[in-house]
Amino acid sequence: MAARLILPNLKPEIWEWCVPYQRDGVARAVARQNYHFWWACGAGKSLAALIWGLSFRNPILIFCRASARGQWVSDAIEAFTTLKAYTILPMSEQGKDYESINAYLARCYREWTKPIVVVSWDGLTDPRQRAAIDIVMSHAPSVIADEAHAVKNHSHWKRTACTRQRDLNAWRSLAAERDGFVVKDDESDDWIMLTPVLSIAGQAARVAPLATRRLALTATPMYNALRDLWAQLSFVEPKQHGRYGDWARHFCGAYEGEYGRIDTGQSNVEELRNILAQRRHEVTSEEVWQYLPPCERLLTVIPQSEQGREQGVKPSRMREIVRAAGGGDALFDELGSSDGKEAYRALVFANIATRKRPYVVRTVGERLRQGQKCLVFTGLRNDAEQTHEAIVKETKGRFQTWMAHGGMTTKERERIRKEFMAHPGPCAIVGTGHAWGESLSLHTAHYLAIVQLPWTWGQIRQWEGRVRRLGQLCRITIEYMYAAGTRDMRVYDIVRPKLAKQEAISDDSHIRDVREAVAGGTDKQLKQSIFDSIVGGTMKETDIFDAFDDADEDLLCA
């Protein structure tokens, strides 16, 4: 007979639904109390974390993305437990009947029920929400940190360019209001305003020691680089991992460069893996996918003959912006940025998005006519709006479609998500990956178009994780799109080394699968195509060395 778990506030059938790795993870986390779940997207982290929290007598406090607050309450707490959750909201979202945190806690203790509170990570930087968080922390709760990679900011000062020099006194007054000051930049000779950063990481470090125990949940612990780990480790085990500078020098090979600390590398990786082995429970994508329908990844290189015409700023104007920003190629190197560089970057990708739009509209239209539910993740709000309008026009408004990006409220996006999940199809959501790419469940989709390749492995995995998760019922196709003859390939040149670094720390083959997909074939196919070209004499000597370099020597010699 299978073991049963009986908890007063857990619905009786829930434990039977748990898959083996969920039960194993809960057992390990309850035994150690302070723990990390490194589980692939859609692995059921929320359910396991709730069972962990219900295993103790303390109240439960859940930190999550603002967009995921509603999903935590409706799809997790109300679905799996008998508890009534309380959500700490900013002033702008509180209605006239909004209950205070003190009244909620008093009601829970009066009715002998466990308090369970949900708040966004952004609430740590809002004075009113932070006051409510401090009240909950005074009750020594068990803390669940969803999307724990949000705790990673090591910056202490925010730099803002003083755009109008004649208004310098106004800038000084504004800086004083924000406990900052105005100085002249030695490099650019421009005036800048420096204001202290009320960072999520800093406030998380302040409240973490007040919790009785802590559980961190993430599918992407190293969202961009290995350095992202320190803040998460220090949140779960405060003061156990030393100062960041010392940790970065030991594990990131950090050193002082010309413009400050360089900490994007890796060192002593095996030692770090041994440390993490006792502190984390890792569930790879393969362990989750055995319970899911298959997934197909496609790479489509859109030829110039099928691309749309560029719109917006003329090339001559773009060249002026390039000169003002100090060059073009440097924009795609992660060596810092300025307003001019960001403006040029936005213009470049806006033109690339315009080129891809006809193919995206035609593809989504065809899939809608086949009865499928579609998702389109772009990188720009304006592109999302125009693509949505083009899809409605192409399909003559026959199908239900929604458009949503970060300019809309989280409440409105949650309404759209619920309608999409409940819709039998065909239907489609067009939006930005940044607005939809974390925590949310959209796994009733048949097709996901990633129109702009994200810059980090964390974003790639999170975006795919909206559709590849427990509860998925149908086969999913994920299509990456490149526009031939554009800067799209430069983005891949930046992302590819990051994927390689992730593979050195994690055993998850999902990283390799994505790297192969965005490269246009598996490692074996890539090697074979190079060897065939060499044998056939169609490659010049210099091309051979370039090809080997692009494919990674360790893969070619494997």
Side-chain angles (χ1 to χ4, degrees), residues 83 120 169 333 406 525:
L83 299 174
S120 71
N169 288 332
D333 299 330
Q525 292 169 338

Side-chain angles (χ1 to χ4, degrees), residues 193-209:
M193 180 177 68
L194 295 177
T195 52
V197 174
L198 189 62
S199 68
I200 292 174
Q203 290 301 309
R206 179 184 67 85
V207 302

Side-chain angles (χ1 to χ4, degrees), residues 105 120 156 269 320 424:
L105 292 173
S120 71
H156 299 287
V269 171
E320 293 177 8

Side-chain angles (χ1 to χ4, degrees), residues 5-12 14-15 18 26 29-30 33 45-62 72 76-85 104 112-117 141-144 213 215:
L5 178 70
I6 300 176
L7 293 173
N9 301 116
L10 185 69
K11 292 182 178 179
I14 299 301
W15 183 250
C18 293
V26 169
V30 169
Q33 299 199 20
K45 295 185 289 292
S46 301
L47 172 56
L50 282 175
I51 296 175
W52 171 85
L54 294 173
S55 301
F56 306 102
R57 299 178 60 184
N58 309 69
I60 301 174
L61 176 61
I62 301 170
W72 260 99
I77 298 170
E78 293 180 357
F80 303 141
T81 76
T82 58
L83 299 174
K84 297 297 182 182
Y104 170 76
W112 292 86
T113 59
K114 182 192 291 287
I116 181 166
V117 179
S142 301
V143 171
I144 297 172
R213 58 192 64 82
L215 178 65

Side-chain angles (χ1 to χ4, degrees), residues 162-183:
C162 300
T163 52
R164 296 182 179 179
Q165 301 297 314
R166 63 178 181 272
D167 296 335
L168 208 55
N169 288 332
W171 282 104
R172 289 194 174 101
S173 299
L174 180 61
E177 293 175 5
R178 300 179 181 180
D179 298 323
F181 51 91
V182 173
V183 297

Side-chain angles (χ1 to χ4, degrees), residues 22 115 150 164 214 296 379-380 387 424 443 452:
Q22 287 179 307
R164 296 182 179 179
R214 293 153 291 271
E296 179 185 18
L380 302 170
T387 301
H443 53 269
Q452 180 179 311

Side-chain angles (χ1 to χ4, degrees), residues 368-420:
L368 287 173
R369 283 186 281 271
Q370 294 170 11
Q372 297 187 9
K373 300 177 68 173
C374 304
L375 297 172
V376 180
F377 288 170
T378 74
L380 302 170
R381 295 182 183 182
N382 186 55
D383 180 42
E385 294 170 356
Q386 295 184 21
T387 301
H388 175 257
E389 292 176 1
I391 291 173
V392 172
K393 183 178 179 180
E394 200 273 340
T395 59
K396 296 180 173 57
R398 292 168 50 202
F399 308 107
Q400 174 68 63
T401 59
W402 299 269
M403 190 284 302
H405 51 55
M408 302 172 65
T409 65
T410 55
K411 184 177 182 179
E412 180 67 11
R413 278 180 278 157
E414 177 63 10
R415 179 191 65 79
I416 292 174
R417 186 194 70 84
K418 288 183 177 180
E419 290 180 4
F420 177 83

Side-chain angles (χ1 to χ4, degrees), residues 36 230 233-234 237-244 247 275 279:
H36 298 261
W230 178 83
L233 294 172
S234 297
E237 297 177 303
K239 302 180 181 179
Q240 297 298 308
H241 297 275
R243 296 165 59 91
Y244 174 70
W247 190 90
I275 292 173
R279 292 171 167 83

